[in-house]
Amino acid sequence: MNISVMGTGYVGIVTGTCLAETGNNVKCIDLDPKKVEMINSGKSPIYEPDLEELLKKNLGSRLEATLDADPAIRESEITFICVGTPSSEDGSTDLKYIESAAGKIGEVLAQKEGKHIVVVKSTVPPGTSEKVAEILKSKGAKVFGVAMNPEFLREGKAVEDFMAPDRVVLGAEEKWVHEKLEELYSFTDAPKLETNLRTAEMIKYASNSLLAAKISFANEIGNICKELGIDVYDVMQGVGMDARLSPSFLNAGIGFGGSCFPKDVNSLIHTAKVRGVEPKLLEAVMKVNEDQPLKLVELAKNKLGSLSGKKIAVLGLAFKPDTDDMREAPSLRIVPALVKEGAIVKAYDPEAEENAKPLLGDGPEYPSSAKEAAADAEIVFILTEWKEFEDESLYSGKQVFDGRKLLKRKSGEKYEGVCW
Ligand code: NAD
């Protein structure tokens, strides 16, 4: 099929590249000339395992990036909307990129004969895809269908998740739209759940909220365990063996970050409140998460007294390993707090340094390896569980504060886990 994809961020570039890999002709559209140029020169605009290889493989035959939305949309039969849906000040979702993408598609479809499907893949509050349909109609689009196909990929495993998902949720109001998308996703045996538009939108929020709740639950239990001298990882191993639960997302630590969980839980809280529903549990999930990162700093202060003048290596800045994404990363709270305490901080991340620098400024130094960061440090903070930080020699003789249970077997005077 001929596909166009609007937005070449994490979701758009993965969607476009993987749909090309599964045999479709894909045009990826973005407003950012730098991203378009990068893609067309075979470079991925984001770091994601396996993505660049797939991109290079399909470029020039089935995959192309463009700034020119009109022909890309006109010559395709399905357009995916993968633009950002950031949080507004009040926690609600800012839909300006969705509205502008829908407006552009509507203008092109007004001039186009034949059926066209617009698939909203961005995470949007229930009711938004219906609004997209209204915008398309108001611009004069003729024969079109709207679908909502939430994306569940995990950053760091995005290609793997897109190619072999747990499930594919297809929200639409018309049978022909469901049928066409079933065909597009026929490359995977994953169960396909057909719903209406609003249900598909809500499934994404409910999924992310439950995953976030599991993390905050594990962190709260971990905070209690810490006081009792119990290792919360042993506890959660026992909890996760219950056949009614899954053991994933029960890893206690310094809290969740990223572009999705905080934004999506806050959006659902906003949606609930606007409708007079008090989201007690969701608010508690966010509250636990807000308090969690600075617990590691408190722990260090309680153990060592003042951190002023102390040489601290921070290993890991990205919100999780195998990504360069700094959005809502716990390091954004922890590093400035250490600098404010007067510590001399050297911060290292294998992929996220470039994204981290504008956010963290020149408070910390940015050495070019974990070894260099740790070399003359008295204290090491582990904030992201990158595989390369498992090298025990980085920590010898140093006081370690581990926010991720990276050093599985480490214990004793010189080691403290945030909740174990
Ligand atoms: P992003 O901010 O990384 O990328 C969005 C891209 O859209 C940018 O490159 C921007 O230039 C482009 N854009 C904006 N308006 C455009 C327009 N009119 N035409 C063409 N391009 C346009 O965003 P992301 O992380 O890929 O997230 C996109 C959506 O997917 C969000 O709703 C997010 O919540 C959801 N989502 C993200 C993830 C994730 O892991 N990042 C996972 C699942 C769902």
Side-chain angles (χ1 to χ4, degrees):
M1 293 184 205
N2 291 335
I3 310 282
S4 49
V5 178
M6 289 190 94
T8 63
Y10 285 81
V11 169
I13 190 62
V14 171
T15 301
T17 306
C18 291
L19 286 177
E21 174 66 12
T22 57
N24 302 286
N25 297 312
V26 182
K27 294 249 167 79
C28 289
I29 307 158
D30 208 289
L31 304 172
D32 182 346
K34 262 196 254 146
K35 285 191 182 172
V36 168
E37 205 182 299
M38 270 183 93
I39 296 167
N40 285 335
S41 65
K43 292 201 186 77
S44 167
I46 53 155
Y47 172 73
E48 193 64 52
D50 303 328
L51 183 60
E52 202 157 282
E53 290 75 32
L54 277 193
L55 194 151
K56 280 193 180 115
K57 185 177 157 200
N58 288 285
L59 204 64
S61 53
R62 291 194 293 260
L63 182 65
E64 189 193 326
T66 180
L67 290 166
D68 197 356
D70 291 49
I73 296 166
R74 195 170 47 246
E75 288 155 21
S76 61
E77 44 197 316
I78 302 178
T79 302
F80 279 86
I81 300 182
C82 300
V83 300
T85 48
S87 276
S88 304
E89 282 279 299
D90 62 357
S92 65
T93 302
D94 182 347
L95 293 172
K96 64 174 179 279
Y97 300 113
I98 294 280
E99 285 161 6
S100 124
K104 178 82 224 165
I105 300 167
E107 283 167 20
V108 178
L109 296 190
Q111 309 299 323
K112 186 186 162 180
E113 300 301 328
K115 284 182 172 177
H116 195 101
I117 296 177
V118 178
V119 184
V120 180
K121 208 174 216 337
S122 302
T123 303
V124 292
T128 306
S129 299
E130 290 161 24
K131 259 191 224 150
V132 165
E134 279 166 29
I135 294 172
L136 295 172
K137 208 178 272 173
S138 74
K139 296 282 175 185
K142 291 170 228 158
V143 195
F144 66 87
V146 170
M148 205 285 148
N149 168 221
E151 181 50 61
F152 299 104
L153 63 77
R154 293 165 295 173
E155 286 184 21
K157 295 203 171 6
V159 170
E160 186 185 323
D161 286 348
F162 192 95
M163 295 303 239
D166 295 334
R167 80 292 209 192
V168 178
V169 174
L170 300 172
E173 307 293 331
E174 294 158 287
K175 196 159 178 279
W176 72 273
V177 178
H178 274 134
E179 281 172 359
K180 189 80 179 165
L181 292 181
E182 288 260 1
E183 192 190 331
L184 182 68
Y185 277 103
S186 60
F187 64 86
T188 163
D189 292 333
K192 307 198 175 66
L193 180 66
E194 290 187 358
T195 70
N196 61 22
L197 291 170
R198 281 182 180 225
T199 306
E201 291 166 329
M202 192 61 177
I203 286 171
K204 176 66 188 174
Y205 283 100
S207 296
N208 273 0
S209 296
L210 180 55
L211 293 171
K214 282 185 85 174
I215 297 171
S216 279
F217 172 79
N219 286 340
E220 186 154 286
I221 299 289
N223 294 339
I224 303 169
C225 283
K226 180 82 185 168
E227 294 303 318
L228 294 170
I230 300 169
D231 187 329
V232 65
Y233 276 72
D234 295 338
V235 172
M236 287 306 162
Q237 189 182 359
V239 171
M241 284 171 167
D242 188 322
R244 294 165 299 181
L245 299 167
S246 128
S248 16
F249 282 77
L250 290 175
N251 296 333
I254 44 175
F256 57 79
S259 66
C260 294
F261 286 2
K263 157 176 97 66
D264 294 348
V265 179
N266 278 328
S267 173
L268 191 52
I269 287 172
H270 185 269
T271 299
K273 283 185 171 169
V274 164
R275 281 152 189 85
V277 179
E278 202 187 331
K280 294 181 206 146
L281 182 64
L282 298 177
E283 285 186 324
V285 167
M286 290 309 294
K287 179 77 183 104
V288 172
N289 198 57
E290 271 154 34
D291 294 347
Q292 206 63 16
L294 294 185
K295 286 199 181 295
L296 202 62
V297 181
E298 285 309 310
L299 200 62
K301 279 166 62 182
N302 290 341
K303 179 143 187 151
L304 307 171
S306 167
L307 299 178
S308 182
K310 296 256 175 10
K311 291 180 177 165
I312 300 182
V314 170
L315 299 187
L317 295 170
F319 85 95
K320 67 174 186 177
D322 295 322
T323 179
D324 59 357
D325 200 339
M326 282 295 296
R327 290 178 284 188
E328 305 283 337
S331 64
L332 295 174
R333 305 273 309 285
I334 295 171
V335 173
L338 294 175
V339 171
K340 195 164 166 216
E341 293 291 331
I344 301 155
V345 179
K346 288 189 179 173
Y348 170 72
D349 189 284
E351 293 294 338
E353 184 187 318
E354 208 179 305
N355 290 339
K357 274 182 176 165
L359 302 168
L360 292 173
D362 47 18
E365 267 181 59
Y366 301 94
S368 54
S369 70
K371 219 175 224 162
E372 202 186 314
D376 61 349
E378 310 148 66
I379 303 165
V380 183
F381 272 58
I382 303 171
L383 305 190
T384 316
E385 61 276 40
W386 285 95
K387 192 100 186 111
E388 65 177 82
F389 300 158
E390 285 174 15
D391 174 2
E392 296 262 345
S393 71
L394 290 168
Y395 309 100
S396 89
K398 305 188 193 293
Q399 174 68 53
V400 178
F401 294 96
D402 188 349
R404 297 297 184 184
K405 188 83 176 173
L406 179 86
L407 304 175
K408 303 270 178 305
R409 289 178 303 281
K410 195 130 175 132
S411 61
E413 246 317 280
K414 296 226 131 258
Y415 176 84
E416 288 283 348
V418 64
C419 344
W420 53 90

